[in-house]
Amino acid sequence: MDWDKLRIFHAVADAGSLTHAGDVLHLSQSAVSRQIRALEESLNTTLFHRHARGLILTEQGELLFDATSSMNKRLDAAAARIRDSEEEVFGELRVTTTIGFGTLWLAPRLPHLYDKYPDLNIDLMLEEKVLDLPMREADVAIRMKEPSQADLIRKRLMSVRMRLYATQSYLETNGTPGSLEELSDHRLICQNLKSEQVGAGATYVQGLLANNVTSMLYVNNYFGVLQAVLHDLGIGVLPDYVIQDFPDLTRVLPESESAEIPVFLAYPEEMRQSKRIAAFRDFVQEEIISHRKQLRQKENI
């Protein structure tokens, strides 16, 4: 096949419009249309249904778009490896992690990374869905369980436990529960059990709800849970790493916590020599060491 025509086809399929694809490719709409017609003739098939709202891929078009998408991702990976052969750490690094860990732990520490590598650009993708690293949906991931995908380099970073927290002002006004049974006198703030979350967190919340808790506030991520707790709405189920950056939080029922949740950093085997990933990995490890040191100092005060 003509590689140039495939490039144009991919742009049209991605944009859903000849005009928009032309803008991306810096070609006229007529030039793009001619290339698509020529590709359809060479394949003896129709790749697009013409619709009033734009172009819709046919079944054959979907097959070809899957192929060109895979090609693009592999080309991106090759380009990344070529860039990483340089001595300097620069360019884009796409990092995926959960909303809670990304907003509450990682993002506040990124200034330290930028101070060291000002030419590095982080694209932080926060979502509960596990992105496909071998297919280049992201370069590196931090996840609350060991990745199951093959061909990944993985490193265990630390462990997290879900615990109960409230502000001191809330406890002074509403009292401090002395047992799990007394949670029924308080509003519990937690992730909805239908939200995507690690099993240990969901199991912990289910156990708490067994104590006749009737007043609830459900949020679909831990950033929202934290904001509700900080505004004195109740007692929240939060990961233990928040306590360092939010000293106003007080742990409630210290004997109560979830099972251990492992935190892993992972990236594709083919990115083993990436200087950008090495820089990010070392940064995260240094921040975790500092995090642990500060927690130990706080416990000893």
Side-chain angles (χ1 to χ4, degrees), residues 123-146:
D123 181 359
L124 195 54
M125 296 178 281
L126 304 182
E127 51 187 302
E128 306 309 314
K129 183 180 73 171
V130 176
L131 298 186
D132 193 329
L133 298 184
M135 288 302 293
R136 296 287 293 156
E137 290 183 345
D139 299 316
V140 59
I142 298 177
R143 285 290 164 191
M144 306 299 121
K145 62 180 179 180
E146 184 169 5

Side-chain angles (χ1 to χ4, degrees), residues 115-271:
D115 286 344
K116 193 170 183 179
Y117 302 108
D119 295 325
L120 184 63
N121 297 317
I122 301 296
D123 181 359
L124 195 54
M125 296 178 281
L126 304 182
E127 51 187 302
E128 306 309 314
K129 183 180 73 171
V130 176
L131 298 186
D132 193 329
L133 298 184
M135 288 302 293
R136 296 287 293 156
E137 290 183 345
D139 299 316
V140 59
I142 298 177
R143 285 290 164 191
M144 306 299 121
K145 62 180 179 180
E146 184 169 5
S148 59
Q149 291 172 293
D151 301 324
L152 291 181
I153 297 173
R154 62 207 71 197
K155 179 176 179 58
R156 183 163 176 163
L157 296 173
M158 62 181 187
S159 296
V160 171
R161 291 183 187 271
M162 307 306 299
R163 293 171 173 170
L164 293 168
Y165 295 98
T167 61
Q168 190 58 40
S169 60
Y170 171 85
L171 297 174
E172 289 172 359
T173 302
N174 298 277
T176 302
S179 66
L180 287 172
E181 289 75 17
E182 292 181 16
L183 282 177
S184 60
D185 299 328
H186 298 266
R187 179 177 297 109
L188 187 66
I189 308 168
C190 61
Q191 278 212 50
N192 192 310
L193 291 174
K194 296 179 181 178
S195 301
E196 285 192 54
Q197 57 183 304
V198 293
T203 300
Y204 181 54
V205 170
Q206 286 175 327
L208 295 174
L209 294 178
N211 294 283
N212 297 318
V213 178
T214 56
S215 182
M216 299 291 306
L217 172 61
Y218 291 112
V219 189
N220 68 347
N221 62 72
Y222 290 120
F223 179 77
V225 173
L226 174 65
Q227 294 305 309
V229 172
L230 291 176
H231 286 83
D232 298 334
L233 283 175
I235 297 172
V237 179
L238 287 164
D240 56 8
Y241 55 73
V242 303
I243 195 66
Q244 178 185 339
D245 296 327
F246 298 92
D248 292 340
L249 293 180
T250 298
R251 188 173 176 189
V252 177
L253 298 174
E255 72 282 359
S256 176
E257 62 183 11
S258 74
E260 187 176 80
I261 301 166
V263 180
F264 282 85
L265 181 144
Y267 52 94
E269 173 72 35
E270 63 188 23
M271 302 291 283

Side-chain angles (χ1 to χ4, degrees), residues 292-301:
R292 288 172 176 161
K293 183 178 179 180
Q294 292 183 44
L295 288 182
R296 283 196 299 268
Q297 289 174 342
K298 183 173 182 179
E299 290 170 357
N300 293 330
I301 293 176

Side-chain angles (χ1 to χ4, degrees), residues 21-33:
D23 292 340
V24 172
L25 298 168
H26 305 293
L27 295 172
S28 67
Q29 179 181 339
S30 59
V32 173
S33 180

